[in-house]
Amino acid sequence: MNPESIPSPKAFLLDLDGTVYKGSSPIPGATETINAAQQAGIRCLFITNRSNRPREIVRDQLRAQGIPCDTEDVVTTAETTARYCRSGSAYVIGETGLLQACREQGLSIADDRADATDWVVVSIDRNFTYRKLHSAMRLILNGATFVATNIDARLLLDGGPVPGTGTIVSAVQFATGKTPIVIGKPSPHLFNDAIRQLGIRPEEALAIGDNIHTDIAAGTAATIPTVLLRTGFSATEPSTATYTCDGWSDLAAALRLA
């Protein structure tokens, strides 16, 4: 059921895949509603579990869709994971965005020959190998802290679903018998980072996403009011969100942005 009205927040915390766009295609109504929100003085931050793309690439994709966005408006698991690790050495299973964020944080990146590290960070890696699995296992069993950017089972791309970070995390977890610290949704770390960046209280934001298991669960864990949009992953599942809308036009109407 669509809400008749939603109190106007100070900020939108927006999921991307399945909410703002699907692959390279905009979700109907997303661009118009986000623009209207920004014109009404609502800050918009874009929150993604993906770590492989630098924030600048996400920014440029949003701008190409007609959504004003600065680099600082993008919150990814890469930067949040790097901040969580803070310092020391890390063995990283991941791609460009995560490696860049870890280096910018000042972490020393270990290679396959390292005998010990402070952290083993696992994310999506389309060049994942048995050797990398062996190195991660050995370092974790030698005392490194096991951190996962997220545990998403699949990514939805233009060509259909592909294996996500969770498939690689599961391999490392099974090999080590260790449970990782998970940074991405459904954990609250990304939203907590966004709230600190904005300098507002959790109840002054609105977490908007299409997945009850990640977006809505993370918003709830961070005590932020949530909106489930029936535009993607949880289109037919029972909603656990504060508010539920069939699409962006319904949300715009409920916020009186239409």
Side-chain angles (χ1 to χ4, degrees):
M1 179 180 294
N2 297 327
E4 292 184 2
S5 65
I6 298 174
S8 182
K10 290 186 177 180
F12 281 176
L13 306 183
L14 293 147
D15 173 58
L16 291 172
D17 293 300
T19 301
V20 176
Y21 50 68
K22 182 178 180 180
S24 59
S25 302
I27 298 292
T31 298
E32 296 79 4
T33 304
I34 293 168
N35 273 277
Q38 291 175 326
Q39 291 164 13
I42 298 172
R43 282 292 310 278
C44 293
L45 296 189
F46 302 92
I47 318 291
T48 177
N49 266 4
R50 291 181 67 176
S51 68
N52 59 319
R53 300 192 302 166
R55 293 187 296 168
E56 294 80 4
I57 292 178
V58 179
R59 175 202 66 196
D60 292 346
Q61 181 177 352
L62 290 167
R63 286 179 176 177
Q65 188 174 321
I67 296 173
C69 179
D70 294 325
T71 304
E72 295 73 23
D73 297 329
V74 180
V75 179
T76 80
T77 51
E79 284 75 29
T80 300
T81 299
R83 278 192 291 271
Y84 181 89
C85 295
R86 298 182 304 280
S87 62
S89 60
Y91 180 70
V92 178
I93 294 175
E95 298 185 3
T96 302
L98 179 59
L99 288 163
Q100 176 180 309
C102 288
R103 291 189 179 103
E104 289 174 352
Q105 176 64 26
L107 290 164
S108 172
I109 306 300
D111 62 23
D112 289 324
R113 296 167 294 178
D115 294 322
T117 59
D118 298 299
W119 311 93
V120 169
V121 179
V122 180
S123 188
I124 190 71
D125 184 345
R126 285 166 289 185
N127 292 307
F128 183 58
T129 62
Y130 186 85
R131 181 174 179 176
K132 291 181 180 181
L133 174 61
H134 183 199
S135 296
M137 180 192 75
R138 176 171 48 80
L139 291 166
I140 291 168
L141 293 179
N142 283 345
T145 300
F146 179 15
V147 179
T149 59
N150 67 82
I151 50 173
D152 294 351
R154 294 177 296 279
L155 286 175
L156 294 176
L157 302 180
D158 285 334
V162 298
T165 294
T167 59
I168 300 173
V169 172
S170 293
V172 177
Q173 184 170 350
F174 194 78
T176 61
K178 304 291 186 180
T179 300
I181 297 166
V182 179
I183 301 301
K185 300 175 282 187
S187 296
H189 297 287
L190 289 176
F191 285 145
N192 289 339
D193 243 14
I195 291 296
R196 282 192 293 270
Q197 177 179 328
L198 292 167
I200 62 175
R201 299 189 302 275
E203 63 269 21
E204 294 177 317
L206 201 59
I208 302 169
D210 70 300
N211 189 326
I212 61 171
H213 307 287
T214 55
D215 310 317
I216 304 309
T220 301
T223 68
I224 298 168
T226 56
V227 175
L228 174 67
L229 292 182
R230 300 285 195 188
T231 54
F233 192 92
S234 297
T236 60
E237 294 183 79
S239 177
T240 55
T242 313
Y243 309 102
T244 303
C245 295
D246 288 337
W248 279 98
S249 60
D250 296 316
L251 179 58
L255 287 165
R256 298 179 176 84
L257 296 173

